[in-house]
């Protein structure tokens, strides 16, 4: 499991703060690889707001003190309001990656409404590196606490709200009934066959729609193209496998669909900014230096 969190004044206690319109109190990220389950259960909720972004895999939620499970997939966000019961689980088998932020203030409700975040708990937001980069910037800002960090935190969170608002408006022109179903089917297929050769033109033809229609609507739904989605899935699984010393890099390349390990290394380097061996070394150092949870 990988975690990277930050807390205002090094406090993990939730609180109300009515001194400003918007105050970010804590944020972080979790990646589950080997730890089998990470549950959260807050029967009385929290005093602040919490926004969760499912960046990869899926998460299992139980809303309104209900035993019925709601599975939330990557490309969605969940918003908890103050005093709402919170019960959810992440599982290693799902290869879940989640980013989260807690915030409070004297104008949060009006602010959320102004960006189109009304009473829905779960909403589609699309995938891509944009949200992840903003969350990572918030985490770093709250960890460093340099001059003006509180204002920077608010700016990053407002950028997330703006991206959500733009996504909501663009989705108004989306043919929900047909396109959503077709793109969901494509995502399921890509998740199952990501390590096999997939020709986007052939996939579109076999499913009786044009390539241009498919790429356009896939990007509108997920925020990235089909090829980018498949690449992201391959690299994400490579990251998980690099945490396990059972496999060498040549074997990992084969597992995720690259016959040429040198080509895999170049693709990984371009995507992650470091070679697979460097990534494995960095992860090992992080795990070794991380405090016990």
């Amino acid at each position: 499991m990988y975690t990277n969190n930050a807390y205002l004044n090094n406090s993990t206690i939730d609180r109300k703060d009515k001194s400003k319109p918007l105050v970010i109190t804590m944020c972080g990220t979790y990646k589950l690889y080997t730890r089998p389950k990470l549950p959260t259960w807050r029967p009385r909720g929290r005093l602040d707001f919490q926004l969760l972004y499912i960046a990869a895999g899926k998460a299992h939620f139980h809303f309104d003190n209900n035993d019925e499970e709601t599975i939330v997939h990557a490309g969605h966000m969940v918003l908890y309001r103050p005093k709402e019961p919170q019960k959810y689980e992440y599982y290693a088998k799902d290869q879940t990656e989640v980013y989260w932020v807690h915030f409070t203030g004297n104008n949060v409700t009006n602010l959320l409404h102004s960006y189109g975040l009304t009473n829905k708990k779960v909403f589609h937001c699309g995938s891509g590196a944009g949200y992840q980069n903003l969350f990572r910037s918030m985490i770093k800002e709250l960890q460093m606490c340099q001059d003006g960090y509180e204002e920077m935190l608010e700016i990053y969170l407002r950028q997330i709200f703006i991206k959500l608002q733009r996504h909501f408006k663009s989705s108004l022109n989306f043919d929900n009934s047909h396109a959503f179903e077709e793109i969901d089917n494509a995502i399921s297929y890509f998740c199952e066959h990501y390590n096999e050769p997939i020709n986007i033109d052939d996939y579109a033809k076999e499913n009786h729609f044009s390539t241009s229609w498919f790429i356009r609507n896939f990007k509108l739904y997920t925020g990235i193209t089909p090829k980018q989605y498949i690449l992201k899935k391959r690299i994400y699984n490579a990251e998980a496998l690099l945490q396990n010393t059972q496999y060498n890099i040549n074997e990992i390349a084969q597992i995720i669909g690259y016959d040429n390990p040198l080509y895999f290394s170049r693709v990984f380097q371009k995507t992650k900014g470091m070679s697979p061996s460097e990534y494995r070394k960095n992860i090992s150092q992080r795990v070794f230096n991380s405090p016990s949870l």
Side-chain angles (χ1 to χ4, degrees), residues 87-146:
K87 184 179 181 182
Y88 51 89
E89 304 92 24
Y90 310 140
Y91 294 93
K93 65 181 181 180
D94 297 328
Q95 298 184 339
T96 306
E97 180 181 4
V98 176
Y99 291 82
W100 54 270
V101 58
H102 292 275
F103 51 97
T104 182
N106 60 37
N107 195 39
V108 174
T109 300
N110 291 332
L111 184 67
L112 292 174
H113 277 277
S114 71
Y115 288 111
L117 297 165
T118 53
N119 294 323
K120 288 182 66 177
K121 284 189 176 68
V122 182
F123 40 90
H124 182 262
C125 59
S127 302
Y131 291 116
Q132 290 166 285
N133 290 337
L134 288 169
F135 274 101
R136 289 169 183 161
S137 296
M138 275 197 295
I139 294 167
K140 182 178 180 181
E141 196 69 39
L142 190 49
Q143 289 172 337
M144 300 293 291
C145 291
Q146 296 178 325

Side-chain angles (χ1 to χ4, degrees), residues 16-73:
K16 283 185 177 181
D17 187 338
K18 298 295 185 181
S19 63
K20 299 177 182 177
L22 179 63
V23 180
I24 289 81
T25 58
M26 57 190 77
C27 52
T29 181
Y30 292 109
K31 277 186 183 181
L32 261 65
Y33 295 114
T34 55
R35 185 171 177 173
K37 180 180 179 180
L38 181 62
T40 296
W41 175 219
R42 302 183 182 114
R44 298 182 180 180
R46 294 175 56 97
L47 297 176
D48 55 15
F49 291 77
Q50 181 182 18
L51 183 67
L52 301 103
Y53 170 51
I54 316 301
K58 57 187 176 182
H60 303 254
F61 289 84
H62 308 266
F63 295 116
D64 303 318
N65 278 326
N66 195 329
D67 289 335
E68 183 178 348
E69 182 179 78
T70 299
I71 297 177
V72 179
H73 293 268

Side-chain angles (χ1 to χ4, degrees), residues 75 124-128 167 183 187 217-226 229:
H124 182 262
C125 59
S127 302
H167 181 79
I183 302 306
I187 289 172
N217 283 285
F218 192 98
K219 187 172 183 179
L220 183 59
Y221 187 81
T222 65
I224 54 179
T225 66
Y229 186 90

Side-chain angles (χ1 to χ4, degrees), residues 145-264:
C145 291
Q146 296 178 325
D147 291 345
Y149 75 93
E150 292 177 324
E151 186 176 357
M152 286 298 296
L153 288 169
E154 181 179 342
I155 289 171
Y156 287 131
L157 184 55
R158 282 180 177 270
Q159 286 186 68
I160 291 174
F161 292 157
I162 291 170
K163 281 180 64 67
L164 287 169
Q165 185 181 48
R166 289 177 176 178
H167 181 79
F168 297 155
K169 288 183 177 179
S170 67
S171 296
L172 293 176
N173 299 320
F174 199 62
D175 180 4
N176 293 330
S177 59
H178 174 62
F180 271 21
E181 182 179 355
E182 294 294 352
I183 302 306
D184 275 336
N185 290 338
I187 289 172
S188 297
Y189 180 84
F190 293 160
C191 286
E192 186 176 350
H193 301 277
Y194 75 93
N195 58 347
E196 303 171 11
I198 298 177
N199 184 290
I200 303 303
D201 291 331
D202 290 345
Y203 180 87
K205 185 177 180 180
E206 290 169 4
N207 288 275
H208 312 292
F209 38 74
S210 70
T211 302
S212 60
W213 179 93
F214 177 55
I215 293 175
R216 182 178 67 254
N217 283 285
F218 192 98
K219 187 172 183 179
L220 183 59
Y221 187 81
T222 65
I224 54 179
T225 66
K227 286 185 177 180
Q228 290 170 333
Y229 186 90
I230 295 167
L231 173 62
K232 183 179 178 182
K233 185 70 176 176
R234 287 184 168 187
I235 296 301
Y236 182 83
N237 282 291
E239 290 181 77
L241 291 167
L242 285 166
Q243 299 232 357
N244 188 339
T245 56
Q246 176 182 350
Y247 303 102
N248 62 44
I249 291 173
N250 288 355
E251 290 172 324
I252 291 173
Q254 291 284 336
I255 291 170
I256 67 167
Y258 292 104
D259 293 329
N260 187 335
L262 292 178
Y263 180 72
F264 160 62

